[in-house]
Amino acid sequence: MTTRIAVSIGDIRRAHPPALREVASRLSSHAAILRDISTAATRFAPSTDDWSGPASGSAGGRHTEIAVAARTLGEGLQRCAQAIHAAADQASDAARAVGHADRLAATVGARLRDDGVVVGVSAVATGADAGTVDEVRRIAERARGDYAATLLTLRSRLASTAARYAVSPDAGSHPGVLGAVTPLGLTGSFRLARWGKRVGPDLTEGMATNVGWPEITVFPPPDAPAAASAWFAALTGRERDWLISQRPDWVGPADGLPAWARDRANRIRLDQLTQQGAAELTALQEAELDSGERARRLGEVRAIVDGLAAVRALLATDDGRTRQLLSLDLQGQVLTAAVTTGDLDGAGHIPIFVPGFQADVAGDLARYSALVESAADRADRLSRTAGDGRPVVGITWLGYAAPQVGQVLVPGRSVVGWGPANAGAPRLDQLLTGLDAAGRTAYPDDPPRLVLWGHSYGSLVAGLALRDATVPVAAAVVFGSPGMGVNSVAQLRLPPQRLFVQEALDDVVAATSRFGADPGLWSDATQLSVGEHLLPDGSPGTVARGHEEYLTPGSTSQWNLAAVAAGRTDLVVGLPPCPPWSPLSRKPPPVCERPLRIGWLPSPL
């Protein structure tokens, strides 16, 4: 059953983040005191050189118990402090969003009430006023959702930490039971309890103590990326190592976890899936199946095995680059994967490339990764020389089952239909939410910027994900787009003027407008050039032709992708104005970029 928290705009307004920060500060101070107690208890343990016998052994054991208890409880308090401080920051973000909505409403003489209703505007308001009211409602609803998620995450983190480090009375004796007076003044026997059953090794191995250590209790990560990030942050180093090696199926797919952990887990899963694929091929060859069924199943399994081989080959490339296997999954009989261009955990800017029609791991991972690496490297150089200096690390995301040429006539899987995009958009949103959660955990004051690069049908996947986005995205570039599934930029969760569109002159796909209005005609999107230009860094930018050259190294279109990814949107090369011209005119046509327009049958938007 899903837990929900009812939150109003008034609740956000009444929140007091400074008070939360004060609580977090006090808990941190108490945690430091407990750590000092533990250190002192360890340093001044009774020496068996001067005192021996039963009393000495008993006293030494109790002394060690106090040290262990103080250290464990101090760690628990510190984790509570971190959770509360993070919640305070997120509450501040929600309050700023509501403040922005209030100011926006005031521009049209409206007011946002505590219950989220916008009042003070005529019911027949049209044009800009109606659009502004809609935007106020959207901002308010997002703020409510974000604040509710903050409260749920805080409750989850505090509950798991409290359970993890709970002190419970226990009159019986068993390993791990501590007795005598504790640093908190408790008397009698008590246990440092962990929730759930033991699923891991004894953490006391190799430690200088003669009492048992609390048992590991690790449950699967929560589905929500922010909660999964908190779950992983609460684990000890040895628990994380054990989980990655023993339960990679938990860690690898978990959005919200740091990339280094997912990479390690997914490489283990890569080995496991490779072995399973080889075994299944052998079994199919020996199975008693009719020839048609055998051929079909062999084709499916071989495609998966070929995809796994492509992933393995890319990760084994010896070119000095750090690549991380961010995801590896099977969607039915389709292998999906995502690979980074560098160390994602250190990134300040993260562009995510979403490919389109016919993209598959076996045939396209290596090619797309090389193109994304080149573009991300260019963005990284631009960030370091002319931007904020933070690293740019890209993601080649083949994380959804893209439509294939053999599925054109298959309902729900055709490239001219919505099925693959409707299935892929929530997966992309989950990825973005996880990247945001992991980034805010690692860099709460300056999380990385997320940027989408959507090509062809992938721009539809990106558009649907942005329409229903859980977390904000800094900018998006769509190129060769047949439509984004919406009719205006206002329907996307993007900052103003942060949708960029690239269309080659002879790109037939971009001319179709199959899925909603043509983004190449939107006045509130920034239209970019793909022609030959002298670029802002002094290098020549080559032209991109057709549907597949937007990521070509050295092209103007690649420069534009890099500039947006690096946060230097002021350096993009815009589409020059093209004066009107008629074939009936005696004048020659102007020399300018005039993208092709075809149109399509009405789209069921």
Side-chain angles (χ1 to χ4, degrees):
M1 182 176 65
T2 303
T3 302
R4 298 183 181 275
I5 293 181
V7 170
S8 70
I9 297 300
D11 292 331
I12 299 174
R13 287 174 172 145
R14 288 186 290 272
H16 192 45
L20 286 176
R21 293 190 180 94
E22 176 63 23
V23 170
S25 177
R26 292 186 181 184
L27 286 176
S28 292
S29 298
H30 290 309
I33 292 172
L34 286 167
R35 287 194 297 270
D36 290 343
I37 290 173
S38 176
T39 301
T42 302
R43 182 181 303 134
F44 298 111
S47 172
T48 57
D49 294 338
D50 302 323
W51 184 23
S52 61
S56 171
S58 176
R62 303 304 174 107
H63 198 97
T64 303
E65 290 165 0
I66 291 174
V68 171
R71 181 177 59 183
T72 303
L73 294 173
E75 181 183 340
L77 285 181
Q78 185 59 42
R79 291 185 180 183
C80 288
Q82 292 169 348
I84 293 171
H85 196 281
D89 291 343
Q90 292 159 6
S92 295
D93 291 342
R96 280 192 291 270
V98 170
H100 175 57
D102 286 335
R103 292 189 295 273
L104 193 60
T107 63
V108 294
R111 179 172 61 86
L112 177 63
R113 295 192 325 203
D114 280 355
D115 60 1
V117 175
V118 180
V119 298
V121 173
S122 169
V124 296
T126 60
D129 285 0
T132 298
V133 171
D134 287 342
E135 180 64 15
V136 169
R137 292 192 182 105
R138 280 195 293 271
I139 294 172
E141 186 59 29
R142 289 173 195 152
R144 283 199 326 107
D146 290 347
Y147 190 61
T150 294
L151 297 180
L152 279 171
T153 300
L154 177 60
R155 185 168 72 181
S156 173
R157 293 183 70 176
L158 293 180
S160 63
T161 302
R164 182 187 183 87
Y165 297 97
V167 176
S168 59
D170 188 343
S173 61
H174 71 61
V177 173
L178 309 183
V181 179
T182 75
L184 300 182
L186 299 175
T187 60
S189 298
F190 65 94
R191 182 187 312 150
L192 297 178
R194 299 282 185 111
W195 45 299
K197 65 179 181 180
R198 179 174 179 146
V199 294
D202 181 3
L203 295 190
T204 61
E205 182 179 7
M207 295 184 62
T209 176
N210 61 352
V211 297
W213 188 254
E215 295 179 345
I216 293 181
T217 51
V218 184
F219 289 137
D223 291 335
S229 181
W231 168 84
F232 194 76
L235 300 175
T236 66
R238 296 189 68 179
E239 286 172 331
R240 294 173 182 174
D241 289 341
W242 185 87
L243 268 175
I244 291 169
S245 63
Q246 301 301 315
R247 295 309 304 260
D249 56 315
W250 288 2
V251 178
D255 289 300
L257 271 56
W260 68 263
R262 298 184 67 182
D263 174 58
R264 283 175 53 189
N266 282 323
R267 288 174 187 257
I268 296 173
R269 296 179 71 234
L270 175 61
D271 292 338
Q272 294 172 343
L273 289 173
T274 300
Q275 293 173 5
Q276 292 171 13
E280 189 166 353
L281 281 177
T282 301
L284 282 171
Q285 290 166 355
E286 299 173 354
E288 295 182 0
L289 299 172
D290 64 74
S291 59
E293 176 65 11
R294 186 195 307 275
R296 183 186 68 80
R297 289 290 297 124
L298 282 172
E300 291 174 346
V301 177
R302 283 192 179 116
I304 293 172
V305 171
D306 289 346
L308 294 169
V311 174
R312 186 180 298 277
L314 178 62
L315 295 177
T317 304
D318 186 13
D319 57 1
R321 182 183 297 275
T322 298
R323 296 179 179 87
Q324 293 170 321
L325 184 54
L326 191 64
S327 70
L328 185 70
D329 195 13
L330 281 173
Q331 296 181 42
Q333 293 300 317
V334 178
L335 181 70
T336 63
V339 180
T340 73
T341 67
D343 178 11
L344 196 66
D345 297 315
H349 307 270
I350 304 176
I352 301 102
F353 171 65
V354 186
F357 182 44
Q358 298 193 76
D360 82 303
V361 175
D364 296 299
L365 179 62
R367 176 173 67 93
Y368 280 141
S369 290
L371 293 172
V372 173
E373 286 167 4
S374 176
D377 288 351
R378 193 171 197 179
D380 186 66
R381 291 192 296 272
L382 185 58
S383 175
R384 295 180 188 277
T385 58
D388 61 11
R390 295 192 294 169
V392 179
V393 177
I395 299 174
T396 306
W397 189 71
L398 278 73
Y400 79 109
Q404 302 297 311
V405 66
Q407 300 171 331
V408 172
L409 300 180
V410 178
R413 290 294 307 151
S414 175
V415 69
V416 298
W418 295 73
N422 286 333
R427 296 179 66 88
L428 179 57
D429 179 61
Q430 183 82 352
L431 171 79
L432 294 170
T433 306
L435 293 173
D436 180 77
R440 292 182 183 277
T441 297
Y443 306 101
D445 296 329
D446 196 15
R449 294 174 63 253
L450 303 180
V451 175
L452 282 178
W453 292 343
H455 176 236
S456 190
Y457 193 87
S459 69
L460 173 61
V461 179
L464 297 181
L466 287 169
R467 182 195 64 189
D468 304 321
T470 304
V471 297
V473 174
V477 188
V478 295
F479 38 107
S481 174
M484 299 183 69
V486 297
N487 286 321
S488 70
V489 179
Q491 293 175 265
L492 305 175
R493 189 176 183 185
L494 282 172
Q497 301 301 314
R498 285 301 177 265
L499 176 66
F500 300 84
V501 182
Q502 299 194 124
E503 294 185 356
L505 300 184
D506 52 352
D507 187 342
V508 175
V509 174
T512 61
S513 307
R514 172 68 182 104
F515 301 101
D518 185 349
L521 297 176
W522 292 346
S523 60
D524 47 356
T526 302
Q527 306 297 325
L528 302 179
S529 173
V530 298
E532 293 184 1
H533 291 276
L534 182 66
L535 301 176
D537 67 347
S539 65
T542 60
V543 65
R545 304 184 187 280
H547 189 58
E548 297 291 342
E549 294 188 1
Y550 296 100
L551 282 163
T552 301
S555 64
T556 298
S557 57
Q558 189 210 45
W559 166 269
N560 286 332
L561 289 165
V564 174
R568 288 303 308 268
T569 55
D570 56 314
L571 296 180
V572 298
V573 180
L575 186 67
C578 195
W581 175 79
S582 169
L584 301 178
S585 172
R586 295 182 179 180
K587 297 180 180 179
V591 179
C592 62
E593 294 183 54
R594 190 188 298 271
L596 184 65
R597 303 288 175 221
I598 295 177
W600 197 277
L601 295 175
S603 176
L605 185 57

